[in-house]
Amino acid sequence: MDYLLQLAASPTAWVALATLIVMEIVLGIDNLIFISILTNKLPEQHRAKARRIGISMALVLRLGLLSTIAFIVQLTTPVFEIFGQAFSSKDMILIAGGLFLVWKATTEIHHSMDPEPEEKVSTSKVVTIGFAAAIGQILMLDLVFSIDSIITAVGMTEHLPIMIIAVVASVIVMLVAAEPLAKFINDNPTVVMLALGFLIMIGMTLIAEGFGAHVPKGYVYAAMAFSAAIECLNIARRNRHKRLLAARQ
């Protein structure tokens, strides 16, 4: 109890908490974009349930990993070396997750550009397989983003209560933003392509970091913010054009 009181009275702890919450929210939004794109491919009645399951799994994974911080820290220990390049367990997880993200985003882009004919199967079968596949893919990326999230937390503070508060706060933001973000992506098809482009960029960043090439996150998020701003202008232009056409009729 005294430890918590001392922590609450420390200005440094509050600064660390605020900074970590922002970092965790940014990582959470990356995770949420992927969840939104996947769940939007499910029948409408299953989307909200899949999003809640996906975000809940993200929280469980993050809190579970927090309880094994000693193990998580060891993930950065080199496991083997190839041509002078050492690889740790974290590196292998980031590379695998990045490859999966690039593959999935590329597949989604291909499907958007050249959709395959609908298979002649029962609706119930499509729903069951689609739901299970979506949950499985969400779980895999939840694991990648969760490990990245916890390692970020460990690198920024040594106080477990601060880590827990920041992680829980980021997941609450994900829960609040899930429905609006998913609806926005579903209502604006061009945003889907932009989001898939973001996922490819994030995937390539994960792969690069797995191979030891540090990519400053500020550059990545600045590029994403600039692209998103341009897309917002395009959406505003289209909406204004629609209103003008409606007013003339």
Side-chain angles (χ1 to χ4, degrees), residues 44-61:
E44 189 171 353
Q45 65 270 26
H46 295 285
R47 293 175 185 174
K49 179 181 178 182
R51 279 192 288 270
R52 286 194 298 269
I53 292 175
I55 296 172
S56 298
M57 289 190 303
L59 175 60
V60 170
L61 282 171

Side-chain angles (χ1 to χ4, degrees), residues 121-248:
V121 293
S122 65
T123 304
S124 60
K125 184 176 181 182
V126 172
V127 171
T128 302
I129 295 174
F131 188 85
I135 294 300
Q137 293 171 26
I138 288 172
L139 179 59
M140 180 175 178
L141 264 295
D142 274 346
L143 178 62
V144 174
F145 281 111
S146 293
I147 290 176
D148 200 21
S149 169
I150 299 308
I151 290 177
T152 299
V154 171
M156 292 188 66
T157 181
E158 59 183 11
H159 302 295
L160 184 60
I162 292 178
M163 296 181 200
I164 293 175
I165 293 172
V167 166
V168 172
S170 68
V171 174
I172 290 174
V173 170
M174 288 173 67
L175 283 169
V176 172
E179 293 295 330
L181 180 62
K183 185 178 185 304
F184 180 75
I185 288 176
N186 192 52
D187 292 343
N188 297 275
T190 57
V191 174
V192 175
M193 197 64 70
L194 179 64
L196 290 171
F198 287 167
L199 292 177
I200 290 178
M201 183 165 60
I202 294 168
M204 292 303 297
T205 301
L206 292 176
I207 294 171
E209 291 187 354
F211 279 98
H214 177 65
V215 181
K217 294 290 177 63
Y219 294 156
V220 176
Y221 294 128
M224 291 172 66
F226 179 77
S227 301
I230 297 300
E231 181 60 23
C232 286
L233 290 175
N234 284 328
I235 292 173
R237 176 182 174 277
R238 286 196 297 268
N239 290 338
R240 178 176 173 78
H241 185 64
K242 289 179 182 178
R243 287 196 298 270
L244 289 174
L245 288 178
R248 291 171 183 171

Side-chain angles (χ1 to χ4, degrees), residues 18-149:
T19 306
L20 187 54
I21 285 176
V22 172
M23 290 295 297
E24 294 294 325
I25 288 175
V26 170
L27 291 172
I29 293 299
D30 289 346
N31 201 170
L32 187 56
I33 290 174
F34 182 83
I35 291 175
S36 298
I37 290 177
L38 275 180
T39 53
N40 278 348
K41 295 178 69 66
L42 294 173
E44 189 171 353
Q45 65 270 26
H46 295 285
R47 293 175 185 174
K49 179 181 178 182
R51 279 192 288 270
R52 286 194 298 269
I53 292 175
I55 296 172
S56 298
M57 289 190 303
L59 175 60
V60 170
L61 282 171
R62 281 164 168 77
L63 293 179
L65 290 172
L66 277 173
S67 65
T68 58
I69 285 180
F71 170 73
I72 295 298
V73 172
Q74 292 176 359
L75 289 178
T76 58
T77 303
V79 176
F80 61 90
E81 186 175 313
I82 299 178
F83 300 118
Q85 174 67 48
F87 291 90
S88 65
S89 298
K90 176 197 172 186
D91 294 332
M92 290 184 284
I93 292 172
L94 291 179
I95 292 171
L99 287 171
F100 174 77
L101 202 55
V102 170
W103 169 78
K104 183 60 183 175
T106 304
T107 302
E108 292 295 332
I109 290 174
H110 175 71
H111 181 73
S112 298
M113 298 293 291
D114 187 21
E116 298 177 359
E118 296 184 1
E119 297 181 2
K120 296 180 179 180
V121 293
S122 65
T123 304
S124 60
K125 184 176 181 182
V126 172
V127 171
T128 302
I129 295 174
F131 188 85
I135 294 300
Q137 293 171 26
I138 288 172
L139 179 59
M140 180 175 178
L141 264 295
D142 274 346
L143 178 62
V144 174
F145 281 111
S146 293
I147 290 176
D148 200 21
S149 169

